[in-house]
Amino acid sequence: AASGAVAAAMSAAVDEGGGVASPERALHLTELAITVLRASREASARCVLLSPREHIPAHLASLFTELLSFLQRDCVDDVLGSALQRIARANVQHDVAPRVAELLEVVRVVNQLVLLIKQHYAEHVHAHLEEHVNWHTKCQMRKDDVFVGFEERLSRGLEIALVKTVQRVDRLLQRTPRNEYRVRDADQGLVMFTSATQPVLDVVAFVRRVHDTVAATLDGANRARVLERLGLALARHVRAHVKKFTVSSGSGGLKLLRDLTELREYFASWQIAAVTREFEVLREIANLHVVDESQLRSVIDASVLQTLRRDELEAIVARRADFKPHMLERF
């Protein structure tokens, strides 16, 4: 009877919420879970009160496993599955930030649900099963199985979001004209640049939106881990992007330096050491296009560039518009 009452409460909650299959309604998942957990808690109390003592462990285990099955099948699978489909279909030619935000909101809600389930088990089930190894093990294994399933799908979703974010940044950087950094010096000397190029400004604006969403929906180790992976991935792609351009020494190098300084300053605000370091390397790469060839060795020795492999340094110097093979002997 208690099990039937919980099932009825679950059905009523879904009917009242109108279903939660779309990511736009992810917030309803928490309300639905609270409603169902309350019904399960009340059913558990009646079970303890009315069931013969020897049947209490079996009845509570049945209630709890049914609760897990419902939350997994009729709540999380629908919402998370829909969010995964939408982020996977997101077109990187357009802004993917809203789809990333949808997915991260679902991640936040599912993580909250996991905490609620753990709390429910600890407060209303565990004490009655701890002396009954079989039933306790059954509940524990079922709980672990459900949580592992959640984690695997959430991890897959975060990986897709990471890939889509990087792909969008690539699209924005591709708007950089081929000769953007082939700049002639002015008659009076070097040309100074007070603002980054538009593609770089667009990248910063887009990544800021993604970062703010991550910061608002994830916390603690999860947030730090996701942001570090994102920052390092973006640094790798920006470095590959920079290597595609021929850069005029002097003014062209200063223009590149202005772009990479913009990126370094923004990513330094994340306060993640590994990410800050990678964008510091990028900024120093630009200096190799600013200085005279006679200063290449001093720039490398006095900066984080000394940590790069020689073949990578050679590839960077080779992108100077005035490159001559003898320059490689300068460092």
Side-chain angles (χ1 to χ4, degrees):
S3 179
V6 173
M10 293 174 181
S11 178
V14 172
D15 291 342
E16 181 179 351
V20 289
S22 64
E24 292 87 347
R25 307 194 65 181
L27 286 175
H28 291 288
L29 178 58
T30 300
E31 298 175 0
L32 173 60
I34 291 173
T35 299
V36 172
L37 285 165
R38 184 187 304 116
S40 183
R41 183 169 62 250
E42 294 170 353
S44 296
R46 289 194 296 273
C47 179
V48 172
L49 180 64
L50 301 176
S51 295
R53 184 177 181 83
E54 65 273 16
H55 295 319
I56 289 178
H59 291 172
L60 287 178
S62 178
L63 283 171
F64 184 69
T65 54
E66 183 174 344
L67 170 70
L68 289 174
S69 295
F70 173 80
L71 292 175
Q72 178 185 37
R73 180 187 64 248
D74 297 315
C75 296
V76 175
D77 283 357
D78 285 344
V79 177
L80 185 52
S82 180
L84 288 174
Q85 290 178 4
R86 290 163 70 89
I87 188 67
R89 293 198 301 261
N91 188 344
V92 296
Q93 294 184 12
H94 307 292
D95 190 359
V96 300
R99 295 294 171 260
V100 174
E102 287 176 356
L103 177 68
L104 290 175
E105 178 60 22
V106 172
V107 171
R108 184 191 68 80
V109 170
V110 173
N111 285 336
Q112 186 178 41
L113 175 59
V114 168
L115 293 177
L116 289 172
I117 293 173
K118 289 181 177 179
Q119 181 181 12
H120 173 79
Y121 182 78
E123 295 179 357
H124 304 285
V125 181
H126 178 263
H128 300 283
L129 300 185
E130 58 182 345
E131 295 181 0
H132 302 271
V133 177
N134 289 340
W135 294 115
H136 173 74
T137 301
K138 179 180 179 180
C139 289
Q140 193 66 44
M141 291 179 63
R142 179 65 179 132
K143 178 160 59 75
D144 291 346
D145 181 60
V146 169
F147 290 170
V148 168
F150 288 170
E151 184 176 356
E152 289 177 349
R153 300 189 72 188
L154 292 176
S155 296
R156 186 163 67 251
L158 290 172
E159 188 65 31
I160 295 173
L162 175 66
V163 171
K164 292 288 184 178
T165 299
V166 172
Q167 288 176 343
R168 176 60 182 165
V169 167
D170 277 344
R171 289 293 181 129
L172 293 173
L173 290 175
Q174 285 172 17
R175 297 175 182 175
T176 307
R178 184 175 181 178
N179 294 321
E180 186 69 63
Y181 304 112
R182 295 182 72 104
V183 182
R184 290 185 178 181
D185 293 347
D187 293 339
Q188 65 273 27
L190 297 177
V191 178
M192 305 305 293
F193 300 92
T194 58
S195 177
T197 59
Q198 193 59 50
V200 167
L201 294 175
D202 290 341
V203 165
V204 171
F206 167 71
V207 175
R208 179 178 286 113
R209 291 176 62 194
V210 174
H211 169 274
D212 291 349
T213 300
V214 172
T217 53
L218 302 181
D219 54 20
N222 285 334
R223 176 170 57 196
R225 183 170 58 251
V226 169
L227 288 178
E228 181 171 325
R229 287 198 61 199
L230 176 60
L232 294 178
L234 291 175
R236 287 193 299 271
H237 281 264
V238 172
R239 189 183 296 191
H241 169 76
V242 168
K243 290 178 181 178
K244 298 176 183 177
F245 293 88
T246 299
V247 184
S248 300
S249 59
S251 296
L254 286 175
K255 192 172 191 179
L256 178 61
L257 179 63
R258 183 66 190 86
D259 275 355
L260 297 181
T261 298
E262 184 80 16
L263 292 171
R264 185 202 63 171
E265 290 177 351
Y266 169 66
F267 282 97
S269 70
W270 289 18
Q271 297 183 334
I272 299 176
V275 175
T276 299
R277 179 189 176 282
E278 289 303 311
F279 280 93
E280 180 65 28
V281 170
L282 278 167
R283 182 186 181 281
E284 292 301 326
I285 283 174
N287 280 326
L288 293 177
H289 298 288
V290 174
V291 301
D292 182 78
E293 63 177 89
S294 63
Q295 297 176 288
L296 290 174
R297 179 61 181 267
S298 61
V299 169
I300 294 171
D301 289 346
S303 71
V304 292
L305 293 178
Q306 60 184 305
T307 63
L308 299 185
R309 300 191 314 273
R310 180 173 179 82
D311 62 328
E312 186 165 9
L313 289 170
E314 291 178 351
I316 294 167
V317 171
R319 301 307 300 176
R320 287 174 58 117
D322 62 349
F323 174 73
K324 298 293 187 295
H326 73 266
M327 291 183 182
L328 301 181
E329 301 173 4
R330 295 283 189 176
F331 57 91

